[in-house]
Structures are given as structure tokens and as C-alpha cells.
Amino acid sequence: MSILSYPERGQWGKSSWRGNCSGHVYKELFERLQPKVFVDPMVGSGTSVEVAKEMNIEAHGLDLHSGFNAISDSILLAVGKPADLCLSHPPYGGMIVYSGNVWGQANPNDLSRCESDEDFHEKMQLVLLNQREATAGRGYYGTIIGDWRRSGVYTSYQAEMIARMPREELAAVLIKAQHNCTSDRKQYGSMKLPFILHEYILLWQKKATPVLVLLNKLAHQQYGRLTSTWKNLVKSVLMQLGGKGDLGAIYEHVQREAPQKLSENPNWKAKVRQTLNQNADLFKPVDRGVWAIA
Ligand SMILES: C[S@@+](CC[C@H](N)C(=O)[O-])C[C@H]1O[C@@H](n2cnc3c(N)ncnc32)[C@H](O)[C@@H]1O
């Protein structure tokens, strides 16, 4: 089953630790994946490690609260051996702030204190690469994460993570029902959009790829996404123009459609021309400076 639902959290970890995860979830994952060595780089109140130890799995728990920083310290070096499963349960952005609140003093490395969603996405990619490095070949690395809607903004942390990691290593996306937030639900009663009652468990399986090749693949993956975005942007503009338009009209529409993208790319007009010129399957010149959908 790709849907997990455990209303009880069990006797593991601390029920008072905000944002903790039911021990039954870890139990089920351990039963399926059968790791011999397990690592949780954000162990919180210790739920995962307690479950693992009870199942005679060698388990290592790290956390910022005890001096380990997953965005600058190597998990592999901290543990001393690769894991068969390296699973994190990070903060869901700033939904619950940990340092200076759930524990100790405010810490700038705390993932729940990121300055923006973009900052969080970037740091979580680094954490996942750190987890991957700490995983043995054919082993699994992954994360438990929810989405967050606040003040009209919906952030899907899981979607960003999937997009930023090697797609050929993605092994499973499980849905986990969330049971511990009923008191927060009342204020959402009259809202059009549903209250979020699920989280994700994302699992990747490490393939034997050297880091340089991996980075190459990731860069290629991101470049492919950007290129296809330009192609679709230009094609959708031509569609709006009735299938045909001169460069002036195309530029005007592109500028209207994608101001943010344009401000990031000072040579955007050249990029539009390059997109038109290099995709003969999509676009054809019909007159001087006039293009149509092929
Ligand atoms: C959602 S909680 C984990 C809860 C845990 N699964 C449990 O059941 O108790 C997230 C944890 O991430 C830790 N954390 C935040 N930033 C971190 C960082 N940079 N490195 C390591 N741990 C971090 C927090 O201290 C917190 O304990």
C-alpha cells in the first residue's frame, strides 16, 4: 500500500515533541526495507531510533539540538559507516519553529528558521545530497515532509525535492495520513480549499553514480526543464497570437507572460530567437521576422 495511516503514535519518542512522527510509520518502513544500518539526521525526540533499536537494527540519530548540522556536517563522517536507510524528518518550513522554541536557543542553521521558501528548498537539496552520500549503494535515502498553506501561499516542499534530486533514483512516493492536528482544523471549516491532512514519504534508491556524474545529471535535468519551459512559453505566446506573429508581438507577449524569468535573463530577446530557430519541429519562419507554429 502506498498510503499509511496510523492514528496512534505508539510508545516511541516523545508525544510532547511538536511535529513528531508516529513510530508505527518507521516500523512499517523498516519492515519493508529491512535496513541493517539506519540513520536519522534529524531525530528530534528519538522516535525512529527507538523503533529501530527495538527491531535490532543498528540505528544512529543526529540532530541540530545535539550539535549536528545537516547543512554543513557530513552524515557519513558523523556515523562512520554508510547506512542502508538514511531517512530525515525535517521541519516543514517554518510551520513549527524548533530552536529557541521546542529546544535551546535560536540557531541560524535551524531549517525551521530559513529566511524564505527558496532558502529552505536549497538547503534541503543539500541535506538530501548529504543523506545520499551517507547511503550505501542500492540503499535508500528519503524524507518525511508535508505541504504548508498559509496566508494564501501553498508551498509543496515535496514537489521541490523531487524536482531537485536525480529522477532515476526516485523509488517511491507514499502518502501518510496526518492525525494530530484536529484542533487547528476548526478555523478552516469555512474555507474553499481543504485542510491539509496528509504528508509524504519520499524514497530514493542510491545508484552507483560518482558525485561528479550525479551533478552533471542534475544540471542536465534542470537545464532540460528550463529549455522546455522556454519552448512552451514561446509556443503558448504564438497560440495566443492565433498561431502566427512577428517578433515585436512575440517579445511583447513574452514580456507580459514572464516578467520574473526575463529579469533573470538579460538576453531574453536572443533567447526567444534561439528558441524559435532551434526548434523546427515546433516553429517555422513564414516571412521576414514572422514566425508560426509548425
Ligand atoms: C519534525 S522534527 C523531527 C521529529 C522526529 N521525527 C520525532 O518523531 O520526534 C525536525 C527536527 O529537525 C531538526 N533540525 C532542524 N534543522 C536541522 C539541521 N540543520 N540539522 C539537523 N537537524 C535539524 C530539529 O531540531 C527537529 O528536531
Side-chain angles (χ1 to χ4, degrees):
M1 279 272 291
S2 59
I3 301 177
L4 281 68
S5 178
Y6 290 106
E8 301 299 328
R9 62 176 316 283
Q11 71 274 29
W12 311 278
K14 283 204 192 85
S15 57
S16 58
W17 191 270
R18 293 200 61 207
N20 63 65
C21 177
S22 164
H24 294 286
V25 168
Y26 290 107
K27 194 161 186 284
E28 180 167 343
L29 290 173
F30 296 152
E31 279 165 359
R32 287 184 200 205
L33 300 173
Q34 298 280 313
K36 290 193 171 54
V37 179
F38 166 72
V39 176
D40 184 339
M42 298 175 200
V43 76
S45 68
T47 313
S48 60
V49 164
E50 285 181 28
V51 176
K53 289 193 170 156
E54 203 176 279
M55 294 172 75
N56 291 321
I57 297 166
E58 180 182 330
H60 303 263
L62 307 164
D63 198 292
L64 193 62
H65 65 44
S66 38
F68 177 82
N69 176 8
I71 49 177
S72 64
D73 302 326
S74 157
I75 300 170
L76 184 60
L77 286 181
V79 174
K81 58 162 82 166
D84 302 305
L85 173 62
C86 182
L87 185 66
S88 60
H89 183 206
Y92 303 174
M95 193 189 288
I96 296 172
V97 175
Y98 284 91
S99 64
N101 188 15
V102 175
W103 57 263
Q105 303 279 308
N107 186 318
N109 296 309
D110 180 355
L111 285 156
S112 63
R113 288 185 176 272
C114 287
E115 61 190 33
S116 62
D117 277 343
E118 190 51 39
D119 186 29
F120 181 86
H121 300 325
E122 206 175 299
K123 287 177 175 157
M124 270 313 296
Q125 182 188 36
L126 181 61
V127 170
L128 289 170
L129 289 171
N130 195 359
Q131 288 182 232
R132 183 184 184 277
E133 178 63 18
T135 304
R138 313 302 303 163
Y140 293 91
Y141 60 99
T143 197
I144 303 175
I145 189 81
D147 292 341
W148 191 21
R149 181 190 293 113
R150 76 288 189 198
S151 317
V153 177
Y154 190 101
T155 309
S156 185
Y157 299 112
Q158 57 91 22
E160 288 286 337
M161 290 181 194
I162 291 177
R164 285 165 199 245
M165 292 308 287
R167 52 169 76 121
E168 65 269 32
E169 292 195 355
L170 186 64
V173 177
L174 311 179
I175 303 295
K176 166 184 174 297
Q178 220 179 3
H179 293 281
N180 53 357
C181 44
T182 38
S183 60
D184 309 342
R185 206 187 309 170
K186 288 176 196 137
Q187 58 180 343
Y188 286 82
S190 57
M191 281 181 58
K192 274 190 197 157
L193 298 166
F195 185 73
I196 301 169
L197 280 178
H198 68 282
E199 295 157 291
Y200 301 84
I201 301 170
L202 310 179
L203 292 172
W204 290 267
Q205 187 174 29
K206 184 177 178 177
K207 305 231 165 100
T209 311
V211 174
L212 262 183
V213 178
L214 175 81
L215 289 180
N216 217 338
K217 281 186 176 185
L218 282 179
H220 197 77
Q221 192 172 305
Q222 302 308 346
Y223 182 73
R225 206 168 262 132
L226 185 63
T227 311
S228 66
T229 304
W230 270 108
K231 284 196 287 193
N232 282 335
L233 182 64
V234 173
K235 186 164 178 188
S236 82
V237 160
L238 278 174
M239 285 158 68
Q240 287 166 41
L241 291 169
K244 189 173 113 175
D246 63 35
L247 273 176
I250 296 172
Y251 292 151
E252 199 190 309
H253 273 71
V254 167
Q255 196 165 26
R256 214 184 295 158
E257 289 290 306
Q260 195 194 340
K261 181 182 282 292
L262 295 189
S263 62
E264 286 162 12
N265 184 345
N267 303 317
W268 66 272
K269 286 188 181 174
K271 188 73 201 164
V272 170
R273 289 194 301 277
Q274 185 194 52
T275 305
L276 288 163
N277 276 306
Q278 289 184 348
N279 295 286
D281 55 328
L282 296 178
F283 313 114
K284 61 177 183 203
V286 286
D287 208 340
R288 210 180 140 75
V290 181
W291 288 83
I293 292 174

